[in-house]
Amino acid sequence: KNEVEQSPQNLTAQEGEFITINCSYSVGISALHWLQQHPGGGIVSLFMLSSGKKKHGRLIATINIQEKHSSLHITASHPRDSAVYICAVKGAGGTSYGKLTFGQGTILTVHP
Amino acid sequence: NAGVTQTPKFQVLKTGQSMTLQCAQDMNHNSMYWYRQDPGMGLRLIYYSASEGTTDKGEVPNGYNVSRLNKREFSLRLESAAPSQTSVYFCASSDLEGYTRSYEQFFGPGTRLTVL
């Protein structure tokens, strides 16, 4: 079993729909990252959180440390949101670098 | 600032050939990483360098070597390429951010490598 599991693996939506991508992890963590990768493109960090909720534009990320679960929500989805969304966690414990463990990614396609 | 840069963007090798992938960052980060991304596998850590002068193996180090040339540069070498090393390779860097140990990682654009 992977340390970081995402669901669904593939998600298709119509423009305007509310989207939720889930991430569950099995280890203690100090931080969780949500990343975005456009087709053929680079990887961009969307959020980094260790508790509660963060919002940026139409994107909202939440985390429940007790349940070891995080969700990424996209409100009023748009075709330009089509991308792979990747969840990654940094394990707990004192280190001076940010070694991450990644989920397999969720492929999101938003149709006009 | 250019962020994290990688060269080359594309490369085709024959089995047994060698090559070095270059990575540089201009954000004065201490830590640098090399990942490979394969369909259905997600990103996997090959090697990392927590700080200048140190390197350590990640999840999939076999067939690779690295050099942390200085604080800015971290190269990945394939000594004898194999078809199993066909992948997209990403370099990343990170450091502490503000007052929180956030370790946000900044990624390069990737190198698409095909080994025939």
Side-chain angles (χ1 to χ4, degrees), chain A residues 13-56:
Chain A
Q14 290 297 124
E15 184 173 356
E17 287 185 356
F18 180 86
I19 289 162
T20 296
I21 299 170
N22 297 300
C23 176
S24 296
Y25 52 92
S26 57
V27 296
I29 69 167
S30 60
L32 183 142
H33 299 243
W34 281 103
L35 310 167
Q36 181 191 56
Q37 183 177 25
H38 282 285
I43 299 169
V44 176
S45 178
L46 296 174
F47 293 103
M48 184 168 39
L49 62 167
S50 55
S51 65
K53 176 179 173 178
K54 285 190 176 181
K55 184 175 190 290
H56 185 261

Side-chain angles (χ1 to χ4, degrees), chain B:
Chain B
N1 289 347
V4 180
T5 57
Q6 289 182 236
T7 56
K9 286 190 167 52
F10 300 93
Q11 183 71 50
V12 179
L13 294 177
K14 294 181 180 177
T15 297
Q17 288 185 316
S18 63
M19 78 160 296
T20 299
L21 281 64
Q22 307 286 353
C23 174
Q25 51 91 9
D26 61 3
M27 295 172 282
N28 202 36
H29 285 164
N30 283 313
S31 302
M32 298 185 73
Y33 315 84
W34 275 106
Y35 297 98
R36 60 178 289 172
Q37 186 179 40
D38 303 294
M41 300 291 291
L43 285 153
R44 292 182 292 168
L45 183 64
I46 304 171
Y47 271 94
Y48 63 94
S49 171
S51 60
E52 185 180 356
T54 70
T55 60
D56 284 288
K57 295 178 181 179
E59 186 183 351
V60 287
N62 291 346
Y64 305 95
N65 284 301
V66 291
S67 295
R68 184 75 183 264
L69 304 169
N70 47 54
K71 193 171 185 180
R72 290 187 63 248
E73 298 171 287
F74 187 39
S75 63
L76 179 72
R77 182 159 178 83
L78 287 69
E79 291 291 351
S80 180
S84 61
Q85 294 178 304
T86 294
S87 187
V88 181
Y89 292 85
F90 287 96
C91 177
S93 71
S94 74
D95 216 332
L96 303 179
E97 183 174 291
Y99 296 100
T100 61
R101 289 184 174 269
S102 58
Y103 302 115
E104 180 177 0
Q105 290 201 8
F106 295 82
F107 288 81
T111 295
R112 190 172 295 273
L113 175 67
T114 301
V115 183
L116 303 175

Side-chain angles (χ1 to χ4, degrees), chain A residues 25 29 49-52 63-69:
Chain A
Y25 52 92
I29 69 167
L49 62 167
S50 55
S51 65
I63 188 168
N64 185 318
I65 296 294
Q66 287 74 29
E67 294 186 3
K68 292 186 168 60
H69 181 268

Side-chain angles (χ1 to χ4, degrees), chain A:
Chain A
K1 188 180 189 298
N2 292 334
E3 289 184 351
V4 182
E5 296 274 357
Q6 288 184 235
S7 63
Q9 289 188 330
N10 287 279
L11 182 55
T12 301
Q14 290 297 124
E15 184 173 356
E17 287 185 356
F18 180 86
I19 289 162
T20 296
I21 299 170
N22 297 300
C23 176
S24 296
Y25 52 92
S26 57
V27 296
I29 69 167
S30 60
L32 183 142
H33 299 243
W34 281 103
L35 310 167
Q36 181 191 56
Q37 183 177 25
H38 282 285
I43 299 169
V44 176
S45 178
L46 296 174
F47 293 103
M48 184 168 39
L49 62 167
S50 55
S51 65
K53 176 179 173 178
K54 285 190 176 181
K55 184 175 190 290
H56 185 261
R58 295 180 294 105
L59 301 178
I60 303 166
T62 64
I63 188 168
N64 185 318
I65 296 294
Q66 287 74 29
E67 294 186 3
K68 292 186 168 60
H69 181 268
S70 175
S71 293
L72 176 68
H73 305 286
I74 304 175
T75 62
S77 59
H78 189 278
R80 65 176 175 266
D81 297 325
S82 298
V84 178
Y85 292 84
I86 302 168
C87 172
V89 301
K90 180 187 177 302
T95 60
S96 60
Y97 54 87
K99 196 156 62 101
L100 300 176
T101 301
F102 295 82
Q104 291 183 328
T106 295
I107 302 172
L108 171 66
T109 304
V110 181
H111 293 295

